[in-house]
Amino acid sequence: MSKSLTLLERGTVIFSHELQTDLGRLCRSLRFRMRKPKVNRMVLAMCLGCFIMVIFYFQSNLKPASAQGSGRSSGQVKSWRSPLQRLYDSDQLEQSTVQVTHQGRRELLEDACRSYTRKRHVLIPEDLKHVIVDDQHGLLYCYVPKVACTNWKRVLMVLTGAAGPHRDPLSIPANEAHVSGNLRTLSEYSTSQINQRLRSYLKFVFVREPFERLVSAYRNKFTRSYNTAFHKRYGTKIIRRHRPNPQAEALERGDDVSFEEFVYYLVDPATQREEPFNEHWARVHSLCHPCLIHYNVVGKYETLEQDSRYVLQLAGVEGQVTFPSSAKNTRTTGDMAAQFFNNISPFYQKKLYNLYHMDFLLFNYSTPEYLKF
């Protein structure tokens, strides 16, 4: 008699057609050989009992195998807690200052979403291209350019094994961290897989004061000589549209865009009619959809090291990887942003503020004092 069987993902045992046929044939042959009804019932009961015993036998033998397939021993499976479980457990205990801070940020974000967003729409895969998935540790990270996303991608490459032999995030070249395909995004999964991860994974995002982030993007993409791709792609277009009587060389190279011209480009209605904003100056709420995805941790660039350490603690990997410290002397600060806005008229300051208004509201950033409107 064949004893082949199939093991489903849920751990359910389904007998093969051959085994079911053999057992059925045995029971029928015994039943027809017995004349008395009482004996027939006894034989059928024995067949049923044997059938149930075989099921329990194979289930008990296959359970350890499924535990081994998950990559953890049975003891590890019992003791392992997801980052989301750790967050909920910590919320039930006496909270630290960091936990209180993050709970306050979550509540402020929820209140702002209720107060300032009217239309709600269903998420589509296109909305999830910035959400990076770490299935091994149960993490979803929405990356925002100019908010330490290079270092967070490096950390996730180490955690997911995409970094290969590299164990130190800073040993991974910056350009390699941004290679498409090194890390999976939520948009690559099926609808049921997306929903399951949104329900059960720890979701986190890092944000920054909107105008500091904007000035940082301008400095990086338009004032660095090595960013020729951005100069050609955006600089030439900005100069052609927003510079009176441009020189032929400027139109060709696009490498001397002023911050004022960059602001004109951003507030020009024709810009977004042609194509969406580049991710480096796109608004955070349009990249990460914080009123549709309920983030468990809203980290801030202003408290980057503390908030990053908190996420790694929740993930249970603080002993495996350390978030890199960034060079503070190269950061774009509020004072630096104020200098860039000196040459922007109040009229355009107001238009730009209106453009990024939701990021100020949702993430609890005050209107900058240097604005003149």
Side-chain angles (χ1 to χ4, degrees):
M1 182 187 299
S2 171
K3 295 183 180 178
S4 60
L5 50 82
T6 304
L7 180 65
L8 296 185
E9 290 181 3
R10 294 193 302 269
T12 303
V13 175
I14 294 183
F15 285 88
S16 69
H17 177 72
E18 185 183 356
L19 180 56
Q20 294 180 44
T21 303
D22 290 343
L23 285 170
R25 189 181 299 118
L26 173 63
C27 290
R28 284 195 302 273
S29 65
L30 287 171
R31 184 181 63 194
F32 284 117
R33 288 176 187 176
M34 299 297 179
R35 296 283 182 178
K36 298 179 181 179
K38 186 175 180 181
V39 175
N40 287 346
R41 288 196 295 270
M42 289 176 62
V43 171
L44 288 172
M46 289 174 62
C47 288
L48 182 61
C50 291
F51 194 81
I52 293 172
M53 288 175 65
V54 172
I55 290 176
F56 280 115
Y57 172 79
F58 282 112
Q59 281 184 332
S60 63
N61 279 279
L62 285 166
K63 279 178 182 176
S66 63
Q68 290 171 4
S70 68
R72 299 187 184 94
S73 67
S74 58
Q76 287 175 314
V77 169
K78 289 179 181 178
S79 61
W80 187 79
R81 291 183 304 155
S82 72
L84 201 57
Q85 288 172 323
R86 287 191 179 93
L87 177 69
Y88 289 148
D89 290 347
S90 65
D91 283 349
Q92 305 306 315
L93 304 174
E94 184 176 351
Q95 292 185 321
S96 68
T97 304
V98 175
Q99 291 166 337
V100 171
T101 297
H102 285 279
Q103 183 176 341
R105 288 177 186 172
R106 289 195 298 270
E107 292 172 354
L108 283 169
L109 177 56
E110 289 171 7
D111 290 343
C113 287
R114 281 194 297 267
S115 301
Y116 300 109
T117 57
R118 297 186 185 91
K119 294 181 180 178
R120 294 183 61 84
H121 69 280
V122 177
L123 287 166
I124 60 174
E126 186 74 18
D127 297 326
L128 304 173
K129 287 187 172 181
H130 272 247
V131 181
I132 293 173
V133 181
D134 177 359
D135 281 321
Q136 295 180 39
H137 301 92
L139 300 174
L140 295 178
Y141 162 59
C142 186
Y143 73 91
V144 179
K146 308 314 300 175
V147 193
C149 77
T150 301
N151 281 341
W152 262 115
K153 287 181 179 181
R154 285 166 162 161
V155 168
L156 289 170
M157 285 179 68
V158 171
L159 291 178
T160 60
H166 297 291
R167 304 310 303 165
D168 175 14
L170 285 179
S171 66
I172 303 170
N175 62 330
E176 189 175 330
H178 297 293
V179 171
S180 177
N182 279 342
L183 295 164
R184 293 194 70 183
T185 64
L186 198 55
S187 61
E188 300 172 37
Y189 291 77
S190 69
T191 301
S192 60
Q193 292 172 328
I194 289 171
N195 288 330
Q196 186 270 330
R197 283 160 177 76
L198 287 172
R199 284 194 304 269
S200 59
Y201 284 16
L202 182 84
K203 301 170 288 293
F204 68 100
V205 61
F206 276 75
V207 300
R208 185 178 186 178
E209 200 278 341
F211 283 174
E212 288 182 25
R213 175 174 169 252
L214 190 64
V215 171
S216 177
Y218 166 76
R219 292 179 63 211
N220 180 252
K221 301 306 175 187
F222 294 107
T223 68
R224 304 286 192 267
S225 59
Y226 55 79
N227 266 322
T228 54
F230 270 82
H231 301 161
K232 289 283 188 181
R233 174 75 175 80
Y234 296 100
T236 55
K237 181 189 297 186
I238 292 171
I239 292 171
R240 185 171 63 253
R241 287 187 179 176
H242 301 289
R243 181 179 298 180
N245 305 315
Q247 299 293 318
E249 185 179 3
L251 287 170
E252 172 67 23
R253 297 169 62 91
D255 60 353
D256 63 344
V257 173
S258 70
F259 184 68
E260 190 174 8
E261 291 167 338
F262 179 52
V263 170
Y264 295 160
Y265 165 77
L266 293 174
V267 301
D268 183 355
T271 298
Q272 288 193 77
R273 281 201 301 266
E274 286 184 349
E275 60 182 349
F277 276 170
N278 179 274
E279 63 178 12
H280 291 84
W281 47 83
R283 293 153 295 189
V284 175
H285 75 269
S286 66
L287 292 176
C288 295
H289 309 281
C291 293
L292 295 172
I293 299 174
H294 302 290
Y295 290 98
N296 308 111
V297 177
V298 179
K300 293 200 170 186
Y301 192 74
E302 296 77 15
T303 52
L304 176 62
E305 293 182 6
Q306 173 183 286
D307 295 344
S308 298
R309 189 162 53 248
Y310 179 57
V311 172
L312 295 177
Q313 287 172 353
L314 290 174
V317 295
E318 65 272 23
Q320 300 176 34
V321 64
T322 302
F323 190 82
S325 299
S326 56
K328 295 184 179 181
N329 59 332
T330 61
R331 285 186 180 181
T332 300
T333 63
D335 290 340
M336 192 179 297
Q339 294 175 9
F340 278 86
F341 274 84
N342 274 339
N343 296 326
I344 308 299
S345 71
F347 175 78
Y348 280 103
Q349 287 184 5
K350 177 66 173 176
K351 287 177 75 72
L352 191 66
Y353 180 79
N354 288 341
L355 194 60
Y356 289 88
H357 188 211
M358 282 302 296
D359 281 358
F360 280 98
L361 288 175
L362 294 175
F363 303 113
N364 198 33
Y365 285 107
S366 303
T367 305
E369 294 181 358
Y370 54 77
L371 297 182
K372 301 168 187 172
F373 62 84

